[in-house]
Amino acid sequence: MFAKLKKAVLVVFITCLIWVWADLSLDKDFNDQNVTITVSKANPRLWATIEGKSEIQVKVDFRGPARKIGDLVSKIEAGKEKLDIVFDAEKQNMAAGGDYSLPDVRGFIAESDKIRDYGLAVKAVRPDKLQKIKVVELKEKTLPIKCVDETDTEIPAAKITPDIITVLVPEQVTEARVKLVSLAEKKQARGGVIDKKPYVEFVKDEVRYTEGAVKVELPMIGEDMKQYTIRGTLGYIFSDNLAGGYKVEFTKRPEIGSIPIIATEEAKTAYVDKGFEVLLEIQDDDVGKPEITRQVIYNFPIQYVREDKIRLKGEPAEAKFKLVPVGDQNQPPASAK
């Protein structure tokens, strides 16, 4: 009896080894993948950055069941899934303000719920350490609100109601902002009121918006704005890589002989004094294309654009063209930079 039982146990053991080997033989490498680590904002009183950013990418080598990896790749290619992981400073015992590091990035990724759900093993990560993790405890401050345009230049005499806001920010932040990002928004604000959400900029490219909106009004322009028709001269913006090597061959030349604008007298004069009233931007990847369709740029003086003292009446003109190599490299096409 004992001999039979021993034989049965041995058969089961060998069978299990065969199953394990068969399963492992179906594993597949999934190497050199970009994984995005994004800093959590779950705690509004903490602000964390990794290498000065709210998110970074690391390279990861995975291994896992071929079927699961195939499903994951299909979802990634279809835009239904992406390899990203949330970094929560509190969960990593970094709840107090200060400088920290993450010495085992491989372990951090391997322990994430998402990677576990994928059924992936983490073989290697590059870099394997994150040295510059900074955590800041935010303070509640009452800040003035400033109105700026799309270039972050302050718009004079803007009226904001209310013009202060209480918000959690790093100590060095001294103001909040509302931004009018288009001429349409400026026009609406000049004729009435526009609602905008204030935001605070912690560092460059790292902003947080408030929940509520404020009302923004701009003063009506005191000077008379009239309609003018300007005759345009076309210039080209070539990159250093293309300047001198290519010329523009139009299949549809932009209509710029009569440019209708609405402007103050001063703004119109400044525009007419420009070397080129209209510019066509030529991009590096235009080379080799059979035809490019692109709107021209109206070279309005920037200070008058910011003050909404000049704008195009109607739609921008459109050009259709291709780039042709020039025979003489010493004869650059007309350009304006």
Side-chain angles (χ1 to χ4, degrees):
M1 175 64 74
F2 178 74
K4 290 182 177 179
L5 180 61
K6 184 178 179 180
K7 184 177 180 180
V9 170
L10 182 60
V11 169
V12 170
F13 176 72
I14 293 173
T15 302
C16 288
L17 284 179
I18 293 172
W19 286 345
V20 170
W21 177 85
D23 187 58
L24 288 175
S25 69
L26 295 177
D27 277 2
K28 180 180 179 181
D29 288 329
F30 189 40
N31 293 335
D32 208 34
Q33 299 302 307
N34 288 320
V35 174
T36 302
I37 300 177
T38 304
V39 176
S40 171
K41 297 179 182 177
N43 186 342
R45 293 187 172 272
L46 283 184
W47 172 47
T49 56
I50 303 174
E51 296 181 357
K53 304 172 185 176
S54 61
E55 66 177 40
I56 64 164
Q57 281 195 336
V58 296
K59 289 284 188 181
V60 183
D61 294 339
F62 295 106
R63 185 171 179 81
R67 179 178 56 79
K68 287 192 174 183
I69 289 177
D71 290 343
L72 177 59
V73 170
S74 297
K75 289 179 181 178
I76 291 173
E77 291 177 347
K80 297 178 180 179
E81 186 61 275
K82 56 184 179 180
L83 291 170
D84 58 354
I85 296 172
V86 175
F87 174 83
D88 191 317
E90 285 187 288
K91 292 181 179 179
Q92 298 298 320
N93 298 317
M94 303 177 189
D99 296 322
Y100 298 88
S101 65
L102 188 64
D104 183 14
V105 182
R106 191 201 69 80
F108 166 72
I109 294 176
E111 292 169 5
S112 70
D113 292 338
K114 176 171 277 192
I115 298 304
R116 286 180 174 180
D117 290 343
Y118 292 154
L120 300 178
V122 181
K123 298 191 301 178
V125 179
R126 298 172 297 279
D128 59 354
K129 297 179 182 179
L130 296 176
Q131 303 284 9
K132 297 180 180 179
I133 298 176
K134 189 175 186 64
V135 178
V136 176
E137 295 181 74
L138 303 181
K139 307 295 182 183
E140 192 173 84
K141 296 176 67 175
T142 299
L143 304 175
I145 305 173
K146 183 166 73 174
C147 182
V148 298
D149 64 12
E150 66 279 4
T151 66
D152 290 323
T153 301
E154 184 172 7
I155 299 177
K159 180 183 177 182
I160 304 169
T161 308
D163 59 358
I164 59 173
I165 191 169
T166 301
V167 65
L168 290 164
V169 293
E171 187 63 36
Q172 73 271 17
V173 175
T174 58
E175 68 179 19
R177 294 182 173 189
V178 289
K179 180 176 287 190
L180 302 183
V181 298
S182 67
L183 286 175
E185 287 190 341
K186 294 174 192 173
K187 186 175 181 180
Q188 182 180 341
R190 290 200 189 281
V193 175
I194 185 170
D195 291 332
K196 297 290 291 186
K197 280 190 175 183
Y199 66 90
V200 288
E201 187 174 58
F202 288 6
V203 291
K204 184 175 175 59
D205 299 326
E206 172 76 10
V207 302
R208 290 193 184 181
Y209 285 86
T210 64
E211 290 295 327
V214 296
K215 298 186 181 301
V216 182
E217 301 174 67
L218 299 182
M220 296 297 292
I221 297 173
E223 303 161 271
D224 289 335
M225 293 182 69
K226 299 178 181 178
Q227 181 172 332
Y228 300 94
T229 300
I230 305 298
R231 181 173 180 80
T233 302
L234 180 65
Y236 303 94
I237 305 174
F238 278 89
S239 73
D240 292 338
N241 295 330
L242 301 182
Y246 294 86
K247 64 180 181 180
V248 175
E249 185 176 286
F250 288 104
T251 53
K252 177 189 174 185
R253 185 174 291 274
E255 297 178 3
I256 60 169
S258 299
I259 304 173
I261 64 170
I262 297 175
T264 64
E265 176 68 27
E266 182 183 12
K268 185 264 294 185
T269 301
Y271 182 44
V272 171
D273 289 342
K274 286 273 190 176
F276 297 97
E277 289 81 12
V278 182
L279 300 172
L280 179 62
E281 183 179 14
I282 309 301
Q283 301 173 3
D284 286 355
D285 61 0
D286 291 340
V287 176
K289 292 182 179 179
E291 185 177 71
I292 302 103
T293 300
R294 184 166 297 139
Q295 288 184 343
V296 298
I297 300 169
Y298 292 87
N299 195 21
F300 295 138
I302 189 63
Q303 69 184 83
Y304 296 107
V305 173
R306 289 171 178 166
E307 296 170 3
D308 194 23
K309 292 183 178 180
I310 187 169
R311 57 180 177 264
L312 182 70
K313 186 177 185 295
E315 297 298 319
E318 186 178 81
K320 293 184 178 181
F321 63 95
K322 65 179 180 180
L323 296 183
V324 179
V326 298
D328 184 359
Q329 299 294 318
N330 295 318
Q331 297 292 324
S335 62
K337 295 187 180 179

Short mmCIF file of all heavy atoms in Angstrom, two decimals, residues 36-94:
data_model
loop_
_atom_site.label_atom_id
_atom_site.label_comp_id
_atom_site.label_asym_id
_atom_site.label_seq_id
_atom_site.Cartn_x
_atom_site.Cartn_y
_atom_site.Cartn_z
N THR A 36 5.24 55.41 -17.24
CA THR A 36 5.11 56.75 -16.68
C THR A 36 4.76 56.67 -15.21
O THR A 36 3.80 56.01 -14.83
CB THR A 36 4.01 57.54 -17.43
OG1 THR A 36 4.33 57.60 -18.81
CG2 THR A 36 3.90 58.96 -16.88
N ILE A 37 5.56 57.34 -14.39
CA ILE A 37 5.29 57.44 -12.95
C ILE A 37 4.73 58.84 -12.70
O ILE A 37 5.42 59.84 -12.91
CB ILE A 37 6.56 57.19 -12.12
CG1 ILE A 37 7.12 55.80 -12.41
CG2 ILE A 37 6.27 57.35 -10.63
CD1 ILE A 37 8.43 55.50 -11.69
N THR A 38 3.47 58.91 -12.27
CA THR A 38 2.78 60.18 -12.04
C THR A 38 2.58 60.41 -10.56
O THR A 38 2.13 59.51 -9.84
CB THR A 38 1.42 60.19 -12.75
OG1 THR A 38 1.61 59.92 -14.14
CG2 THR A 38 0.73 61.54 -12.60
N VAL A 39 2.89 61.62 -10.11
CA VAL A 39 2.76 61.95 -8.70
C VAL A 39 1.29 62.12 -8.34
O VAL A 39 0.54 62.83 -9.03
CB VAL A 39 3.55 63.23 -8.37
CG1 VAL A 39 3.32 63.63 -6.91
CG2 VAL A 39 5.03 63.03 -8.63
N SER A 40 0.87 61.49 -7.27
CA SER A 40 -0.51 61.58 -6.80
C SER A 40 -0.82 62.97 -6.25
O SER A 40 0.02 63.62 -5.64
CB SER A 40 -0.76 60.53 -5.70
OG SER A 40 -2.02 60.73 -5.10
N LYS A 41 -2.06 63.43 -6.48
CA LYS A 41 -2.55 64.69 -5.90
C LYS A 41 -3.69 64.41 -4.94
O LYS A 41 -4.53 65.28 -4.68
CB LYS A 41 -3.00 65.63 -7.02
CG LYS A 41 -1.88 66.04 -7.96
CD LYS A 41 -2.38 66.95 -9.07
CE LYS A 41 -1.26 67.32 -10.04
NZ LYS A 41 -1.75 68.16 -11.17
N ALA A 42 -3.72 63.19 -4.40
CA ALA A 42 -4.82 62.79 -3.53
C ALA A 42 -4.89 63.65 -2.27
O ALA A 42 -5.98 63.97 -1.78
CB ALA A 42 -4.68 61.32 -3.15
N ASN A 43 -3.74 64.01 -1.73
CA ASN A 43 -3.71 64.86 -0.54
C ASN A 43 -3.47 66.30 -0.99
O ASN A 43 -2.37 66.65 -1.42
CB ASN A 43 -2.60 64.42 0.41
CG ASN A 43 -2.62 65.20 1.72
OD1 ASN A 43 -3.22 66.27 1.82
ND2 ASN A 43 -1.96 64.66 2.74
N PRO A 44 -4.49 67.17 -0.91
CA PRO A 44 -4.33 68.54 -1.42
C PRO A 44 -3.33 69.37 -0.63
O PRO A 44 -2.94 70.45 -1.08
CB PRO A 44 -5.75 69.12 -1.30
CG PRO A 44 -6.40 68.33 -0.22
CD PRO A 44 -5.82 66.95 -0.33
N ARG A 45 -2.91 68.89 0.54
CA ARG A 45 -1.96 69.65 1.36
C ARG A 45 -0.50 69.26 1.11
O ARG A 45 0.40 69.81 1.72
CB ARG A 45 -2.30 69.49 2.85
CG ARG A 45 -3.61 70.15 3.20
CD ARG A 45 -3.88 70.15 4.70
NE ARG A 45 -5.06 70.96 4.99
CZ ARG A 45 -5.04 72.27 5.22
NH1 ARG A 45 -3.89 72.92 5.20
NH2 ARG A 45 -6.15 72.93 5.46
N LEU A 46 -0.30 68.29 0.21
CA LEU A 46 1.06 67.87 -0.13
C LEU A 46 1.31 68.09 -1.61
O LEU A 46 0.45 67.83 -2.45
CB LEU A 46 1.28 66.39 0.21
CG LEU A 46 1.51 66.00 1.66
CD1 LEU A 46 1.81 64.50 1.73
CD2 LEU A 46 2.63 66.80 2.31
N TRP A 47 2.51 68.54 -1.91
CA TRP A 47 2.94 68.68 -3.31
C TRP A 47 4.28 67.98 -3.45
O TRP A 47 5.26 68.34 -2.80
CB TRP A 47 3.06 70.14 -3.69
CG TRP A 47 3.68 70.38 -5.04
CD1 TRP A 47 3.36 69.75 -6.19
CD2 TRP A 47 4.73 71.30 -5.35
NE1 TRP A 47 4.14 70.22 -7.23
CE2 TRP A 47 4.98 71.18 -6.73
CE3 TRP A 47 5.44 72.24 -4.61
CZ2 TRP A 47 5.94 71.95 -7.39
CZ3 TRP A 47 6.40 73.00 -5.25
CH2 TRP A 47 6.65 72.85 -6.63
N ALA A 48 4.31 66.95 -4.27
CA ALA A 48 5.54 66.19 -4.47
C ALA A 48 5.98 66.29 -5.92
O ALA A 48 5.15 66.40 -6.84
CB ALA A 48 5.33 64.72 -4.09
N THR A 49 7.29 66.28 -6.14
CA THR A 49 7.85 66.26 -7.49
C THR A 49 8.96 65.22 -7.54
O THR A 49 9.61 64.94 -6.53
CB THR A 49 8.42 67.63 -7.90
OG1 THR A 49 9.40 68.05 -6.93
CG2 THR A 49 7.33 68.67 -8.00
N ILE A 50 9.16 64.65 -8.71
CA ILE A 50 10.26 63.73 -8.95
C ILE A 50 11.15 64.37 -10.01
O ILE A 50 10.70 64.62 -11.13
CB ILE A 50 9.76 62.36 -9.44
CG1 ILE A 50 8.78 61.75 -8.42
CG2 ILE A 50 10.93 61.40 -9.67
CD1 ILE A 50 8.13 60.46 -8.89
N GLU A 51 12.37 64.69 -9.60
CA GLU A 51 13.30 65.41 -10.48
C GLU A 51 12.68 66.70 -10.97
O GLU A 51 12.83 67.09 -12.14
CB GLU A 51 13.75 64.51 -11.64
CG GLU A 51 14.54 63.30 -11.17
CD GLU A 51 15.01 62.42 -12.32
OE1 GLU A 51 14.67 62.74 -13.48
OE2 GLU A 51 15.71 61.43 -12.06
N GLY A 52 11.93 67.37 -10.09
CA GLY A 52 11.31 68.66 -10.41
C GLY A 52 10.08 68.59 -11.27
O GLY A 52 9.56 69.62 -11.71
N LYS A 53 9.55 67.38 -11.52
CA LYS A 53 8.40 67.22 -12.41
C LYS A 53 7.28 66.47 -11.72
O LYS A 53 7.50 65.76 -10.74
CB LYS A 53 8.81 66.47 -13.69
CG LYS A 53 9.97 67.11 -14.44
CD LYS A 53 10.42 66.21 -15.56
CE LYS A 53 11.65 66.76 -16.28
NZ LYS A 53 12.15 65.84 -17.32
N SER A 54 6.07 66.61 -12.27
CA SER A 54 4.93 65.88 -11.72
C SER A 54 4.83 64.47 -12.27
O SER A 54 4.06 63.66 -11.77
CB SER A 54 3.63 66.64 -12.01
OG SER A 54 3.44 66.77 -13.41
N GLU A 55 5.61 64.18 -13.33
CA GLU A 55 5.66 62.82 -13.84
C GLU A 55 6.97 62.60 -14.57
O GLU A 55 7.56 63.54 -15.12
CB GLU A 55 4.47 62.49 -14.75
CG GLU A 55 4.44 63.26 -16.05
CD GLU A 55 3.28 62.84 -16.94
OE1 GLU A 55 2.18 62.58 -16.41
OE2 GLU A 55 3.49 62.76 -18.17
N ILE A 56 7.44 61.37 -14.55
CA ILE A 56 8.66 61.01 -15.27
C ILE A 56 8.44 59.66 -15.95
O ILE A 56 7.49 58.94 -15.63
CB ILE A 56 9.90 60.93 -14.36
CG1 ILE A 56 9.73 59.80 -13.35
CG2 ILE A 56 10.17 62.25 -13.68
CD1 ILE A 56 11.02 59.40 -12.67
N GLN A 57 9.32 59.34 -16.88
CA GLN A 57 9.27 58.04 -17.54
C GLN A 57 10.52 57.24 -17.23
O GLN A 57 11.62 57.80 -17.16
CB GLN A 57 9.13 58.19 -19.05
CG GLN A 57 7.72 58.52 -19.50
CD GLN A 57 7.53 58.31 -20.99
OE1 GLN A 57 8.46 58.36 -21.78
NE2 GLN A 57 6.28 58.08 -21.40
N VAL A 58 10.35 55.94 -17.02
CA VAL A 58 11.46 55.03 -16.83
C VAL A 58 11.32 53.89 -17.83
O VAL A 58 10.23 53.62 -18.33
CB VAL A 58 11.51 54.47 -15.39
CG1 VAL A 58 11.77 55.58 -14.38
CG2 VAL A 58 10.21 53.73 -15.03
N LYS A 59 12.43 53.23 -18.13
CA LYS A 59 12.43 52.08 -19.02
C LYS A 59 12.36 50.81 -18.17
O LYS A 59 13.11 50.66 -17.21
CB LYS A 59 13.70 52.05 -19.86
CG LYS A 59 13.77 53.13 -20.93
CD LYS A 59 12.88 52.79 -22.12
CE LYS A 59 13.11 53.77 -23.27
NZ LYS A 59 12.24 53.47 -24.42
N VAL A 60 11.47 49.89 -18.55
CA VAL A 60 11.26 48.68 -17.76
C VAL A 60 11.29 47.45 -18.66
O VAL A 60 10.73 47.46 -19.77
CB VAL A 60 9.91 48.73 -17.01
CG1 VAL A 60 9.76 47.49 -16.12
CG2 VAL A 60 9.81 49.99 -16.16
N ASP A 61 11.98 46.40 -18.16
CA ASP A 61 11.95 45.09 -18.82
C ASP A 61 11.01 44.18 -18.02
O ASP A 61 11.23 43.96 -16.82
CB ASP A 61 13.35 44.46 -18.85
CG ASP A 61 14.31 45.25 -19.72
OD1 ASP A 61 13.84 46.01 -20.59
OD2 ASP A 61 15.54 45.11 -19.54
N PHE A 62 9.96 43.69 -18.68
CA PHE A 62 8.99 42.81 -18.04
C PHE A 62 9.12 41.39 -18.58
O PHE A 62 9.72 41.14 -19.63
CB PHE A 62 7.56 43.29 -18.32
CG PHE A 62 7.19 44.61 -17.73
CD1 PHE A 62 7.08 45.74 -18.53
CD2 PHE A 62 6.94 44.74 -16.37
CE1 PHE A 62 6.73 46.97 -17.99
CE2 PHE A 62 6.58 45.95 -15.83
CZ PHE A 62 6.49 47.06 -16.64
N ARG A 63 8.51 40.47 -17.83
CA ARG A 63 8.31 39.12 -18.33
C ARG A 63 6.98 38.63 -17.79
O ARG A 63 6.61 38.92 -16.64
CB ARG A 63 9.43 38.17 -17.90
CG ARG A 63 9.31 36.77 -18.52
CD ARG A 63 10.53 35.93 -18.26
NE ARG A 63 10.39 34.59 -18.84
CZ ARG A 63 10.58 34.28 -20.10
NH1 ARG A 63 10.93 35.23 -20.95
NH2 ARG A 63 10.42 33.05 -20.55
N GLY A 64 6.23 37.91 -18.62
CA GLY A 64 4.94 37.43 -18.19
C GLY A 64 4.34 36.47 -19.18
O GLY A 64 4.92 36.20 -20.24
N PRO A 65 3.15 35.94 -18.87
CA PRO A 65 2.47 35.02 -19.78
C PRO A 65 2.25 35.65 -21.16
O PRO A 65 1.80 36.80 -21.25
CB PRO A 65 1.14 34.74 -19.07
CG PRO A 65 1.42 35.04 -17.63
CD PRO A 65 2.40 36.15 -17.62
N ALA A 66 2.59 34.90 -22.19
CA ALA A 66 2.50 35.43 -23.55
C ALA A 66 1.09 35.91 -23.87
O ALA A 66 0.91 36.94 -24.53
CB ALA A 66 2.94 34.36 -24.56
N ARG A 67 0.08 35.18 -23.41
CA ARG A 67 -1.30 35.57 -23.71
C ARG A 67 -1.64 36.92 -23.08
O ARG A 67 -2.24 37.78 -23.72
CB ARG A 67 -2.26 34.49 -23.19
CG ARG A 67 -3.74 34.80 -23.43
CD ARG A 67 -4.61 33.67 -22.94
NE ARG A 67 -4.35 33.37 -21.54
CZ ARG A 67 -4.85 34.09 -20.52
NH1 ARG A 67 -5.59 35.15 -20.76
NH2 ARG A 67 -4.58 33.75 -19.27
N LYS A 68 -1.25 37.10 -21.79
CA LYS A 68 -1.56 38.36 -21.12
C LYS A 68 -0.80 39.52 -21.75
O LYS A 68 -1.34 40.63 -21.90
CB LYS A 68 -1.23 38.25 -19.63
CG LYS A 68 -2.21 37.40 -18.84
CD LYS A 68 -2.00 37.55 -17.35
CE LYS A 68 -3.08 36.81 -16.57
NZ LYS A 68 -2.94 37.00 -15.11
N ILE A 69 0.44 39.26 -22.13
CA ILE A 69 1.22 40.33 -22.78
C ILE A 69 0.59 40.68 -24.12
O ILE A 69 0.49 41.86 -24.49
CB ILE A 69 2.69 39.90 -22.94
CG1 ILE A 69 3.38 39.89 -21.57
CG2 ILE A 69 3.43 40.86 -23.90
CD1 ILE A 69 4.81 39.42 -21.59
N GLY A 70 0.14 39.68 -24.86
CA GLY A 70 -0.53 39.95 -26.14
C GLY A 70 -1.78 40.79 -25.96
O GLY A 70 -2.01 41.74 -26.73
N ASP A 71 -2.58 40.47 -24.93
CA ASP A 71 -3.79 41.26 -24.65
C ASP A 71 -3.42 42.69 -24.28
O ASP A 71 -4.07 43.65 -24.71
CB ASP A 71 -4.58 40.61 -23.51
CG ASP A 71 -5.22 39.29 -23.92
OD1 ASP A 71 -5.32 39.05 -25.14
OD2 ASP A 71 -5.61 38.52 -23.02
N LEU A 72 -2.37 42.83 -23.46
CA LEU A 72 -1.95 44.17 -23.02
C LEU A 72 -1.46 45.00 -24.19
O LEU A 72 -1.83 46.18 -24.33
CB LEU A 72 -0.85 44.04 -21.97
CG LEU A 72 -0.23 45.36 -21.46
CD1 LEU A 72 -1.29 46.25 -20.85
CD2 LEU A 72 0.87 45.06 -20.44
N VAL A 73 -0.66 44.42 -25.08
CA VAL A 73 -0.15 45.13 -26.25
C VAL A 73 -1.31 45.59 -27.13
O VAL A 73 -1.33 46.73 -27.62
CB VAL A 73 0.82 44.25 -27.04
CG1 VAL A 73 1.16 44.90 -28.39
CG2 VAL A 73 2.10 44.01 -26.24
N SER A 74 -2.31 44.74 -27.30
CA SER A 74 -3.47 45.11 -28.12
C SER A 74 -4.21 46.30 -27.52
O SER A 74 -4.64 47.21 -28.24
CB SER A 74 -4.42 43.91 -28.25
OG SER A 74 -3.80 42.84 -28.93
N LYS A 75 -4.36 46.30 -26.20
CA LYS A 75 -5.07 47.40 -25.54
C LYS A 75 -4.27 48.69 -25.63
O LYS A 75 -4.84 49.77 -25.82
CB LYS A 75 -5.33 47.04 -24.08
CG LYS A 75 -6.39 45.96 -23.89
CD LYS A 75 -6.58 45.62 -22.41
CE LYS A 75 -7.62 44.53 -22.22
NZ LYS A 75 -7.79 44.17 -20.79
N ILE A 76 -2.94 48.59 -25.48
CA ILE A 76 -2.10 49.78 -25.57
C ILE A 76 -2.18 50.37 -26.98
O ILE A 76 -2.33 51.58 -27.15
CB ILE A 76 -0.64 49.44 -25.20
CG1 ILE A 76 -0.53 49.12 -23.70
CG2 ILE A 76 0.29 50.60 -25.54
CD1 ILE A 76 0.84 48.62 -23.28
N GLU A 77 -2.09 49.51 -28.00
CA GLU A 77 -2.15 49.99 -29.39
C GLU A 77 -3.51 50.59 -29.73
O GLU A 77 -3.60 51.49 -30.57
CB GLU A 77 -1.81 48.84 -30.34
CG GLU A 77 -0.36 48.40 -30.26
CD GLU A 77 -0.05 47.21 -31.15
OE1 GLU A 77 -1.02 46.59 -31.64
OE2 GLU A 77 1.14 46.91 -31.36
N ALA A 78 -4.56 50.12 -29.06
CA ALA A 78 -5.91 50.65 -29.31
C ALA A 78 -6.21 51.88 -28.45
O ALA A 78 -7.29 52.47 -28.57
CB ALA A 78 -6.95 49.56 -29.02
N GLY A 79 -5.26 52.27 -27.61
CA GLY A 79 -5.46 53.43 -26.75
C GLY A 79 -6.35 53.18 -25.56
O GLY A 79 -6.80 54.11 -24.90
N LYS A 80 -6.61 51.90 -25.24
CA LYS A 80 -7.48 51.55 -24.12
C LYS A 80 -6.71 51.33 -22.82
O LYS A 80 -7.31 51.18 -21.75
CB LYS A 80 -8.29 50.29 -24.46
CG LYS A 80 -9.23 50.46 -25.64
CD LYS A 80 -9.97 49.17 -25.95
CE LYS A 80 -10.92 49.33 -27.12
NZ LYS A 80 -11.63 48.06 -27.44
N GLU A 81 -5.40 51.26 -22.91
CA GLU A 81 -4.58 51.02 -21.73
C GLU A 81 -3.23 51.68 -21.92
O GLU A 81 -2.81 51.94 -23.06
CB GLU A 81 -4.41 49.50 -21.52
CG GLU A 81 -3.69 49.11 -20.24
CD GLU A 81 -4.44 49.59 -19.00
OE1 GLU A 81 -4.22 50.75 -18.61
OE2 GLU A 81 -5.22 48.81 -18.43
N LYS A 82 -2.58 52.02 -20.83
CA LYS A 82 -1.23 52.55 -20.91
C LYS A 82 -0.46 52.15 -19.65
O LYS A 82 -1.05 51.88 -18.60
CB LYS A 82 -1.23 54.07 -21.07
CG LYS A 82 -1.97 54.84 -20.01
CD LYS A 82 -1.98 56.32 -20.34
CE LYS A 82 -2.75 57.12 -19.29
NZ LYS A 82 -2.75 58.57 -19.61
N LEU A 83 0.83 52.09 -19.79
CA LEU A 83 1.68 51.69 -18.68
C LEU A 83 1.99 52.91 -17.83
O LEU A 83 2.91 53.68 -18.11
CB LEU A 83 2.97 51.05 -19.22
CG LEU A 83 2.82 49.70 -19.90
CD1 LEU A 83 4.10 49.30 -20.59
CD2 LEU A 83 2.40 48.63 -18.89
N ASP A 84 1.18 53.13 -16.82
CA ASP A 84 1.42 54.24 -15.91
C ASP A 84 1.16 53.80 -14.48
O ASP A 84 0.33 52.93 -14.22
CB ASP A 84 0.58 55.47 -16.28
CG ASP A 84 -0.91 55.16 -16.27
OD1 ASP A 84 -1.28 53.98 -16.09
OD2 ASP A 84 -1.72 56.09 -16.45
N ILE A 85 1.89 54.41 -13.55
CA ILE A 85 1.82 54.05 -12.14
C ILE A 85 1.76 55.35 -11.33
O ILE A 85 2.45 56.32 -11.66
CB ILE A 85 3.04 53.21 -11.72
CG1 ILE A 85 3.06 51.89 -12.47
CG2 ILE A 85 3.05 52.96 -10.22
CD1 ILE A 85 4.32 51.09 -12.27
N VAL A 86 0.95 55.35 -10.29
CA VAL A 86 0.82 56.53 -9.43
C VAL A 86 1.81 56.43 -8.28
O VAL A 86 1.91 55.39 -7.62
CB VAL A 86 -0.62 56.65 -8.90
CG1 VAL A 86 -0.71 57.81 -7.90
CG2 VAL A 86 -1.60 56.87 -10.04
N PHE A 87 2.53 57.51 -8.07
CA PHE A 87 3.45 57.60 -6.93
C PHE A 87 2.77 58.42 -5.84
O PHE A 87 2.50 59.61 -6.02
CB PHE A 87 4.76 58.26 -7.34
CG PHE A 87 5.70 58.52 -6.20
CD1 PHE A 87 6.54 57.53 -5.73
CD2 PHE A 87 5.73 59.76 -5.57
CE1 PHE A 87 7.40 57.76 -4.66
CE2 PHE A 87 6.59 60.01 -4.51
CZ PHE A 87 7.41 59.01 -4.05
N ASP A 88 2.46 57.79 -4.71
CA ASP A 88 1.83 58.45 -3.57
C ASP A 88 2.88 58.64 -2.48
O ASP A 88 3.35 57.67 -1.89
CB ASP A 88 0.66 57.61 -3.05
CG ASP A 88 -0.19 58.37 -2.05
OD1 ASP A 88 0.38 59.07 -1.18
OD2 ASP A 88 -1.43 58.28 -2.13
N ALA A 89 3.25 59.90 -2.23
CA ALA A 89 4.32 60.17 -1.27
C ALA A 89 3.99 59.64 0.12
O ALA A 89 4.86 59.11 0.82
CB ALA A 89 4.59 61.68 -1.22
N GLU A 90 2.73 59.77 0.53
CA GLU A 90 2.34 59.30 1.86
C GLU A 90 2.53 57.79 1.99
O GLU A 90 3.02 57.31 3.02
CB GLU A 90 0.88 59.68 2.14
CG GLU A 90 0.68 61.14 2.46
CD GLU A 90 -0.74 61.44 2.90
OE1 GLU A 90 -1.63 61.39 2.03
OE2 GLU A 90 -0.96 61.69 4.10
N LYS A 91 2.15 57.05 0.96
CA LYS A 91 2.28 55.60 1.02
C LYS A 91 3.74 55.15 1.01
O LYS A 91 4.05 54.02 1.36
CB LYS A 91 1.51 54.96 -0.13
CG LYS A 91 0.00 55.11 -0.01
CD LYS A 91 -0.72 54.44 -1.16
CE LYS A 91 -2.24 54.58 -1.01
NZ LYS A 91 -2.97 53.96 -2.15
N GLN A 92 4.62 56.05 0.58
CA GLN A 92 6.05 55.74 0.58
C GLN A 92 6.74 56.34 1.81
O GLN A 92 7.96 56.50 1.84
CB GLN A 92 6.70 56.29 -0.69
CG GLN A 92 6.17 55.69 -1.98
CD GLN A 92 6.42 54.20 -2.08
OE1 GLN A 92 7.48 53.72 -1.70
NE2 GLN A 92 5.43 53.46 -2.60
N ASN A 93 5.93 56.68 2.84
CA ASN A 93 6.46 57.25 4.10
C ASN A 93 7.20 58.57 3.85
O ASN A 93 8.25 58.83 4.44
CB ASN A 93 7.37 56.24 4.81
CG ASN A 93 6.63 54.98 5.21
OD1 ASN A 93 5.50 55.04 5.70
ND2 ASN A 93 7.25 53.83 4.99
N MET A 94 6.63 59.39 3.01
CA MET A 94 7.21 60.70 2.71
C MET A 94 6.17 61.79 2.95
O MET A 94 6.00 62.70 2.14
CB MET A 94 7.70 60.76 1.26
CG MET A 94 8.70 59.70 0.88
SD MET A 94 9.17 59.79 -0.89
CE MET A 94 10.13 58.29 -1.09
#
